[in-house]
Amino acid sequence: MDFDEVLREVGSFGLYQKVIICSVLLPAALPCAFHAYSQLFIAATPQHWCRVPELEPWIQDYVPLVKNLSIPRNSQGGYAECSMYARNYSDIVRYLEYRPPPELLRQQADDLLKQLPDNAQVVPCQHGWNYDRSIYSSTVVQEWNLVCDQSFLVTLALVIFGVGGLLGNYVFGYLVDLWGRRPSFYAYLLMEIAACAASAFAWNYYSWLGLRFVVGLTVPAILASPYVLAIELVGPERRVFCTIVSNIAYSLGLVVLAGVIYVVRDWRELSLAVSMPLLMLFSCFFVLPESPRWLMAVGKTKRAMRILKIMARVNGVRVNRDFVERLERRLVNTRAAEAESSAASRHYGILDLFRGTNMRRKTLIITLIWFANTSVYVGLSYYAPALGGDEIWNFFLAGAVELPTYLLLWPGLSYFGRRWILFISMLVGGVACVATFLYPDITLLLYCVGKMGISSSFVVLPLLASELYPTVVRGLGMSFSSVVAMVGPIVIPLINHMGQQMLVLPLIVMGALLILGGFASLLLPETRNRNLPQTLEEGEAVPLSFLLCCCVENEPKPRTPPTRTPPPNRGVPQSGVRVLPQVESPGPHRATCKVVCSICKKEMRTL
């Protein structure tokens, strides 16, 4: 049974859908944005330098003085963060005690430094570190000294968070079909809030790390559940709208998160601030409906009927009295037809994505592009605080620049198609990231351009992939590509960590990955205004664009008429492809074998 036809009878995009999407599903995107990126500031690394116990009385008011006396300079001219001078600080303290404060502020101990030997030994920090608390009053790094030889633990936390997302994405696919859309969303939301709030009371690094892993498990599900439910509540003509709006809500969540971080600078308070207010979403538990499409699919027709009646009433649609009877009859007929064909039907697995040459190539290309998009989007979001200047302002810009992109993308998908927009978005984003190596003075501007490009391609790719995978393996193909792509958030923190010595190195790597994915997208066929392939045979008949040129004009007929009748066609036409007989003619004029695309029903020609 085609549920879209049933949805049209009760209103495929009426007041009911608008209220549910705007009042419930859009705010439901906030938890994902909050918990996916709040860790960047919970575990932020402020400026730090070696602690010298003898100079502690002066650290509060004379920071430059203390640094001049105890901290060597690095190759860039700044103060070293992990080393100090080995000096007799007791003698230095006796000198400082007899100097009035105005003199200390004015000279910064210059006269004392002239008396000290220049060849003082430089040693690693012996007594811990002092931290610049002008931006963050407290972070995980400050509390457990995750700096210098322990700095990799901050990157490890992001890697573990990404591993949790990979596993959560895999498990969520089963739970959302087993429990339904609404229960699985609220179960994951409760687990996410509880784990994030509990992390505010972590007693050491490893307890905090374990709770962040639990939060990572829930992030993909929290992002996908509202989107899936919104898609299933509207007709097919409004799905692009739901895709764009859900991404706008996600970007607004990033902007709101920047505001929360600006107000709350203590990591324990921030963990509570991004989790406890989300309990308000449980007030919508009885307002948010279960997906009637899913209810019909699992045989819970009575609940689906109640939701459809409410939907029709709110949308102002008068439903005929026999609506329920007709719906039940159609459902019974559909199940009978499915029961008859179940014996002959086959079950599809991941290997079916790789059996045919075309399907194998398209699956690998889509997965490569998906990996590039996920890696670069997460990588650029993680990279925002490292751009220099105000970290919170940089993160705010990273979320804000996405919003105008979606407004331009909305009409573009309908008029220009998917493939070219995907290629241009990835190419522009990749070139902007690589250009930071040539123009380091405008790194922030180029970063914003790159973020706009990846945000655009991140919206187009799932739409293009869903229109390329055949119906019988569409869910399997989408899940396979997205799960493989989740390896990106695991690897990308390591690349950002390598960029501590060279600021633009991660941008160059991410830009090169985007450019590679952009050119790979040109190999995929265009899907705008095309019928979706249903079977593997139809999907195999849709070629890659560099192999076949679709929708071309017929080749001109040879001027010399054929002198003999063509032999009978000995080929057996495959499903979804119509093969015309070959006509031979003397001389160089020979008509080629014409193959008709099963989707656009027009001729294809080998390049």
Side-chain angles (χ1 to χ4, degrees):
M1 181 182 64
D2 189 356
F3 187 80
D4 290 329
E5 296 181 2
V6 177
L7 205 57
R8 292 189 186 97
E9 295 190 38
V10 298
S12 60
F13 193 68
L15 179 62
Y16 182 87
Q17 286 91 340
K18 295 175 183 177
V19 170
I20 293 297
I21 290 174
C22 294
S23 63
V24 180
L25 297 182
L26 294 188
L30 293 178
C32 180
F34 278 17
H35 292 123
Y37 298 108
S38 60
Q39 183 169 323
L40 298 178
F41 302 93
I42 290 173
T45 302
Q47 291 185 358
H48 52 279
W49 61 93
C50 295
R51 176 177 174 269
V52 179
E54 291 87 349
L55 299 179
E56 281 297 297
W58 284 268
I59 195 65
Q60 186 70 29
D61 299 318
Y62 306 101
V63 173
L65 170 66
V66 172
K67 287 184 176 181
N68 283 336
L69 292 172
S70 60
I71 308 299
R73 299 275 184 169
N74 54 31
S75 58
Q76 287 79 28
Y79 289 103
E81 296 181 333
C82 302
S83 57
M84 58 180 285
Y85 288 122
R87 287 170 169 166
N88 188 344
Y89 290 102
S90 298
D91 292 342
I92 294 176
V93 168
R94 283 194 291 272
Y95 175 85
L96 296 177
E97 287 176 344
Y98 292 97
R99 293 294 180 273
E103 182 180 344
L104 294 178
L105 290 173
R106 183 177 63 257
Q107 296 185 359
Q108 299 297 338
D110 289 339
D111 54 346
L112 177 59
L113 289 173
K114 294 177 182 179
Q115 303 175 21
L116 295 174
D118 296 334
N119 58 349
Q121 183 182 4
V122 177
V123 296
C125 297
Q126 304 294 312
H127 308 286
W129 291 264
N130 287 311
Y131 296 93
D132 180 8
R133 301 181 185 274
S134 61
I135 300 178
Y136 308 104
S137 59
S138 176
T139 69
V140 167
V141 172
Q142 298 175 24
E143 183 150 341
W144 295 313
N145 288 327
L146 306 181
V147 293
C148 297
D149 58 343
Q150 299 292 313
S151 62
F152 74 95
L153 294 177
V154 179
T155 302
L156 177 64
L158 290 175
V159 172
I160 295 299
F161 187 85
V163 172
L166 177 62
L167 297 177
N169 195 27
Y170 181 78
V171 175
F172 169 72
Y174 289 98
L175 294 184
V176 74
D177 289 331
L178 180 65
W179 294 350
R181 281 53 169 150
R182 185 180 68 164
S184 60
F185 169 71
Y186 279 107
Y188 269 87
L189 179 63
L190 181 61
M191 183 173 20
E192 185 177 66
I193 293 174
C196 187
S199 68
F201 304 97
W203 55 93
N204 59 29
Y205 169 77
Y206 292 101
S207 63
W208 174 79
L209 184 65
L211 291 169
R212 291 304 301 176
F213 172 77
V214 177
V215 175
L217 283 172
T218 65
V219 167
I222 295 297
L223 176 63
S225 295
Y227 173 72
V228 171
L229 187 53
I231 288 295
E232 294 182 344
L233 283 176
V234 302
E237 66 280 358
R238 294 291 184 175
R239 288 173 187 166
V240 172
F241 165 80
C242 289
T243 301
I244 298 294
V245 168
S246 64
N247 281 274
I248 290 175
Y250 183 80
S251 299
L252 287 175
L254 298 179
V255 173
V256 173
L257 175 60
V260 174
I261 296 168
Y262 182 80
V263 176
V264 183
R265 306 294 181 94
D266 180 87
W267 76 270
R268 295 185 185 272
E269 295 176 358
L270 180 60
S271 298
L272 295 174
V274 298
S275 57
M276 300 308 293
L278 300 178
L279 289 172
M280 292 187 294
L281 290 173
F282 283 91
S283 63
C284 304
F285 181 81
F286 297 103
V287 178
L288 183 66
E290 182 54 87
S291 168
R293 191 186 299 266
W294 177 80
L295 291 173
M296 297 292 289
V298 297
K300 299 181 180 181
T301 55
K302 292 184 178 180
R303 286 184 61 190
M305 298 294 183
R306 289 198 297 268
I307 295 174
L308 290 173
K309 288 180 179 178
I310 296 173
M311 189 181 301
R313 185 166 62 249
V314 175
N315 289 340
V317 177
R318 296 188 60 182
V319 178
N320 298 330
R321 295 181 179 179
D322 61 340
F323 170 73
V324 176
E325 297 178 0
R326 286 190 293 108
L327 191 58
E328 289 179 346
R329 276 198 307 270
R330 292 166 64 180
L331 185 61
V332 170
N333 295 336
T334 301
R335 287 180 177 173
E338 291 176 351
E340 292 178 359
S341 60
S342 60
S345 63
R346 55 169 294 193
H347 297 283
Y348 296 92
I350 291 179
L351 291 179
D352 290 300
L353 297 172
F354 298 92
R355 295 192 192 280
T357 302
N358 271 335
M359 279 303 304
R360 178 169 61 251
R361 289 170 175 168
K362 282 184 284 189
T363 300
L364 293 175
I365 292 172
I366 291 172
T367 304
L368 169 65
I369 300 173
W370 210 311
F371 173 80
N373 274 264
T374 304
S375 301
V376 177
Y377 183 87
V378 174
L380 288 180
S381 298
Y382 283 174
Y383 190 78
L387 285 170
D390 192 331
E391 298 178 0
I392 302 175
W393 171 249
N394 292 342
F395 186 79
F396 171 82
L397 285 180
V401 295
E402 297 182 10
L403 297 175
T405 304
Y406 300 138
L407 298 179
L408 296 175
L409 192 62
W410 196 338
L413 286 173
S414 300
Y415 290 102
F416 301 107
R418 284 71 159 126
R419 186 182 63 166
W420 281 105
I421 290 183
L422 179 62
F423 166 70
I424 294 173
S425 299
M426 297 185 73
L427 184 63
V428 170
V431 170
C433 290
V434 173
T436 56
F437 178 73
L438 302 175
Y439 305 99
D441 295 336
I442 54 172
T443 297
L444 181 58
L445 176 61
L446 293 173
Y447 168 86
C448 291
V449 175
K451 191 67 186 300
M452 293 177 70
I454 187 59
S455 301
S456 175
S457 63
F458 207 74
V459 175
V460 180
L461 177 60
L463 182 61
L464 176 64
S466 66
E467 295 172 340
L468 285 176
Y469 282 123
T471 299
V472 293
V473 291
R474 182 168 296 128
L476 187 65
M478 299 280 286
S479 298
F480 172 79
S481 297
S482 62
V483 167
V484 172
M486 288 301 295
V487 177
I490 300 175
V491 177
I492 207 69
L494 302 176
I495 298 177
N496 284 346
H497 183 73
M498 291 188 301
Q500 290 181 349
Q501 303 301 323
M502 182 181 178
L503 182 64
V504 297
L505 176 62
L507 293 177
I508 295 174
V509 173
M510 290 185 283
L513 189 59
L514 264 188
I515 293 174
L516 175 64
F519 280 103
S521 67
L522 290 179
L523 306 179
L524 298 174
E526 179 56 64
T527 60
R528 182 174 66 98
N529 297 331
R530 306 286 174 85
N531 296 327
L532 299 182
Q534 302 296 321
T535 64
L536 284 174
E537 290 77 12
E538 292 184 2
E540 183 69 18
V542 181
L544 297 178
S545 61
F546 81 103
L547 291 177
L548 286 172
C549 187
C550 194
C551 305
V552 298
E553 296 294 333
N554 292 337
E555 293 186 6
K557 296 181 180 180
R559 297 179 181 177
T560 305
T563 58
R564 56 176 176 172
T565 59
N569 182 27
R570 290 170 292 187
V572 180
Q574 299 179 358
S575 175
V577 180
R578 180 164 57 93
V579 180
L580 299 183
Q582 185 174 356
V583 180
E584 296 183 1
S585 59
H589 304 289
R590 178 175 295 219
T592 58
C593 179
K594 301 182 178 68
V595 181
V596 177
C597 177
S598 63
I599 291 184
C600 65
K601 305 303 181 186
K602 295 184 180 181
E603 178 188 342
M604 299 185 296
R605 175 170 58 86
T606 304
L607 294 179

